[in-house]
Amino acid sequence: MFNIADITSIADYFVICSGTNERQLQAIADDIKTEMKTSGIKVLGIEGYNQSKWILIDMGDVIVHLFDTETRLFYDLELLWGDAPKIPWETTAIP
């Protein structure tokens, strides 16, 4: 995750992750959308869902980028936003 608040006005954070295939990327996007709805966070838009090479989920202050491996390497957002501070991702165990 990158804190981009001081670099651009489009969002405060970018989350960048990969999936191995179309179904997995769509499942991740679906789960994010469900979790955000449950948490009361509105998803403003989802782009690229049907093609599933690069799915962008816009939640206003947070933008999630879901990539297949080839597309992630091609666009290399980590390099493009490399000046932004990286925030360690914390996970929680699912019971």
Side-chain angles (χ1 to χ4, degrees):
M1 179 164 41
F2 292 88
N3 181 340
I4 60 169
D6 293 334
I7 298 174
T8 183
S9 62
I10 61 173
D12 290 338
Y13 300 97
F14 273 174
V15 177
I16 302 171
C17 68
S18 298
T20 57
N21 58 54
E22 180 179 325
R23 280 187 171 176
Q24 185 181 46
L25 289 167
Q26 289 175 343
I28 294 167
D30 292 342
D31 194 48
I32 290 171
K33 187 175 177 182
T34 299
E35 289 297 320
M36 294 304 101
K37 184 176 182 178
T38 301
S39 299
I41 299 170
K42 185 175 182 179
V43 173
L44 302 175
I46 298 178
E47 297 292 331
Y49 184 88
N50 292 330
Q51 297 82 10
S52 296
K53 299 274 185 202
W54 179 355
I55 301 174
L56 185 138
I57 304 172
D58 182 0
M59 293 170 278
D61 292 339
V62 177
I63 297 176
V64 177
H65 300 271
L66 306 174
F67 289 103
D68 69 10
T69 304
E70 183 179 325
T71 306
R72 184 172 181 171
L73 289 172
F74 181 80
Y75 286 102
D76 198 6
L77 292 187
E78 290 89 347
L79 178 64
L80 180 64
W81 295 97
D83 292 339
K86 292 181 184 172
I87 299 170
W89 189 261
E90 295 181 25
T91 60
T92 56
I94 299 173

